[in-house]
């Protein structure tokens, strides 16, 4: 899974029918220091994340597993909202 | 998924037989302000997209997660035509 910041959402009336009713979130992938890394990702949201929240998301074929309707044309799905992380800087 | 703009159609008479009947479009990736990037993808159209449409493309093995593309040699499918992008302030 990867970490990302929810920066917005996307509306697509004409889309894969299996994605109907799912929120499409815009994510900026971030690293452990919350710094942006890589390209913007559009992700289906199966847990109701809000804008600005730090989340983690599953990609590739597994992205469809959390969804009620399968199969579905998604390659990224938000599966958790991060409350906190503890990453000791000295690596212990 | 990634965001891109449909910039053209693609026809290939000689192609893998499993691709027959699939509409192929050329999509150029864009940023959130619709500025074109330098990367492209050939994608199967699953939603009736056309040249000029801003679209969402599902890639990788997830592209086979539809009746249209199940079991076919496809790793990019246009899964949505974008109406609006809302980015928080």
């Amino acid at each position: 899974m990867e970490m990302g910041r929810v920066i917005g959402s996307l509306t697509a009336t004409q889309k894969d029918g299996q994605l109907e009713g799912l929120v499409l979130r815009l994510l900026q992938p971030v690293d452990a220091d919350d710094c942006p890394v890589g390209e913007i990702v559009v992700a289906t949201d199966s847990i109701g994340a809000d804008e600005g929240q730090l989340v983690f998301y599953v990609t590739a074929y597994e992205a469809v597993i959390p969804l009620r309707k399968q199969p579905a044309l998604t390659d990224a799905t938000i599966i958790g909202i991060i409350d906190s992380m503890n990453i000791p800087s000295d690596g212990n | 998924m990634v965001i891109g703009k449909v910039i053209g159609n693609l026809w290939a008479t000689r192609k893998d037989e499993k691709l027959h009947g699939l509409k192929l479009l050329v999509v150029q990736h864009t940023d959130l302000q619709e500025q074109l990037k330098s990367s492209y993808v050939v994608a199967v159209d699953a939603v009736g997209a056309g040249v000029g449409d801003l679209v969402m493309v599902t890639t990788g093995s997830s592209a086979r997660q539809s009746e249209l593309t199940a079991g076919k040699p496809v790793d990019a499918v246009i899964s949505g035509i974008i109406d609006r992008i809302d980015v928080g302030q």
Side-chain angles (χ1 to χ4, degrees), chain A residues 9 11 13-14 39 42 51 75, chain B residues 1 37 59 81 83 86 88:
Chain A
S9 59
T11 310
T13 324
Q14 221 169 312
E39 305 289 335
V42 180
E51 207 156 297
D75 58 24
Chain B
M1 284 62 83
K37 294 183 180 178
T59 58
I81 299 174
D83 303 322
D86 297 308

Side-chain angles (χ1 to χ4, degrees), chain A residues 9-29:
Chain A
S9 59
L10 185 157
T11 310
T13 324
Q14 221 169 312
K15 59 176 174 283
D16 174 20
Q18 298 287 88
L19 297 179
E20 216 53 60
L22 288 173
V23 175
L24 295 168
R25 285 292 180 200
L26 287 172
L27 299 182
Q28 168 58 64

Side-chain angles (χ1 to χ4, degrees), chain A residues 44-57:
Chain A
T44 37
D45 181 1
S46 61
I47 57 164
D50 281 329
E51 207 156 297
Q53 287 188 310
L54 193 59
V55 298
F56 61 102
Y57 57 100

Side-chain angles (χ1 to χ4, degrees), chain A residues 58-65 74-77, chain B residues 58-63 65:
Chain A
V58 60
T59 61
Y61 207 77
E62 290 67 27
V64 76
I65 294 172
T74 178
D75 58 24
T77 297
Chain B
T58 301
T59 58
S61 42
S62 306
Q65 286 272 355

